[in-house]
Short mmCIF file of all heavy atoms in Angstrom, two decimals:
data_model
loop_
_atom_site.label_atom_id
_atom_site.label_comp_id
_atom_site.label_asym_id
_atom_site.label_seq_id
_atom_site.Cartn_x
_atom_site.Cartn_y
_atom_site.Cartn_z
N SER N 9 -40.15 30.94 -27.43
CA SER N 9 -38.67 30.84 -27.40
C SER N 9 -38.15 30.77 -25.98
O SER N 9 -37.31 29.90 -25.68
CB SER N 9 -37.99 32.03 -28.14
OG SER N 9 -36.66 31.92 -27.97
N LYS N 70 -3.13 -7.36 3.34
CA LYS N 70 -1.97 -7.58 4.26
C LYS N 70 -0.78 -8.12 3.49
O LYS N 70 -0.94 -8.81 2.52
CB LYS N 70 -2.32 -8.56 5.38
CG LYS N 70 -3.46 -8.08 6.23
CD LYS N 70 -3.84 -9.16 7.28
CE LYS N 70 -4.98 -8.76 8.14
NZ LYS N 70 -5.38 -9.80 9.10
N ASP N 104 -5.64 -20.36 12.81
CA ASP N 104 -4.89 -21.55 13.10
C ASP N 104 -3.80 -21.89 12.12
O ASP N 104 -4.04 -21.65 10.93
CB ASP N 104 -5.86 -22.74 13.27
CG ASP N 104 -6.77 -22.53 14.48
OD1 ASP N 104 -6.40 -21.96 15.44
OD2 ASP N 104 -7.99 -23.02 14.31
N CYS N 109 1.36 -28.14 8.11
CA CYS N 109 2.55 -27.51 8.26
C CYS N 109 3.35 -28.16 9.43
O CYS N 109 2.78 -28.44 10.48
CB CYS N 109 2.44 -26.03 8.59
SG CYS N 109 1.91 -25.06 7.12
N CYS N 129 2.69 -8.03 12.95
CA CYS N 129 3.03 -8.33 14.32
C CYS N 129 1.75 -8.45 15.13
O CYS N 129 0.77 -7.72 15.01
CB CYS N 129 3.89 -7.15 14.95
SG CYS N 129 4.33 -7.51 16.69
N SER N 138 12.82 -7.43 8.15
CA SER N 138 13.70 -8.60 8.03
C SER N 138 15.09 -8.29 8.54
O SER N 138 15.69 -7.27 8.17
CB SER N 138 13.77 -9.10 6.59
OG SER N 138 14.20 -8.06 5.69
N ALA N 144 25.39 -10.03 16.40
CA ALA N 144 24.93 -8.87 17.19
C ALA N 144 24.65 -7.65 16.21
O ALA N 144 25.44 -7.43 15.26
CB ALA N 144 26.05 -8.40 18.15
N SER N 147 19.62 -3.21 18.52
CA SER N 147 18.28 -3.63 18.96
C SER N 147 18.09 -5.14 18.92
O SER N 147 16.95 -5.65 19.16
CB SER N 147 17.10 -2.99 18.14
OG SER N 147 17.22 -1.59 18.17
N LEU N 148 19.17 -5.86 18.80
CA LEU N 148 19.09 -7.27 18.73
C LEU N 148 20.18 -7.91 19.63
O LEU N 148 21.22 -7.33 19.91
CB LEU N 148 19.34 -7.78 17.24
CG LEU N 148 18.28 -7.46 16.24
CD1 LEU N 148 18.69 -7.78 14.85
CD2 LEU N 148 16.92 -8.17 16.56
N TRP N 152 21.94 -13.39 18.22
CA TRP N 152 20.85 -13.38 17.16
C TRP N 152 21.07 -14.33 16.07
O TRP N 152 22.17 -14.36 15.43
CB TRP N 152 20.73 -11.96 16.57
CG TRP N 152 19.67 -11.68 15.57
CD1 TRP N 152 19.85 -11.46 14.27
CD2 TRP N 152 18.28 -11.74 15.76
NE1 TRP N 152 18.63 -11.27 13.61
CE2 TRP N 152 17.63 -11.47 14.48
CE3 TRP N 152 17.47 -12.04 16.92
CZ2 TRP N 152 16.27 -11.49 14.35
CZ3 TRP N 152 16.06 -12.05 16.66
CH2 TRP N 152 15.53 -11.77 15.46
N ASP N 199 -6.47 -23.86 0.06
CA ASP N 199 -5.75 -25.17 -0.02
C ASP N 199 -6.70 -26.24 -0.48
O ASP N 199 -7.75 -25.94 -1.01
CB ASP N 199 -5.11 -25.48 1.33
CG ASP N 199 -6.17 -25.57 2.47
OD1 ASP N 199 -7.36 -25.70 2.18
OD2 ASP N 199 -5.80 -25.51 3.65
#
Side-chain angles (χ1 to χ4, degrees):
S9 172
K70 297 177 182 179
D104 291 327
C109 287
C129 179
S138 56
S147 304
L148 294 170
W152 179 245
D199 59 18

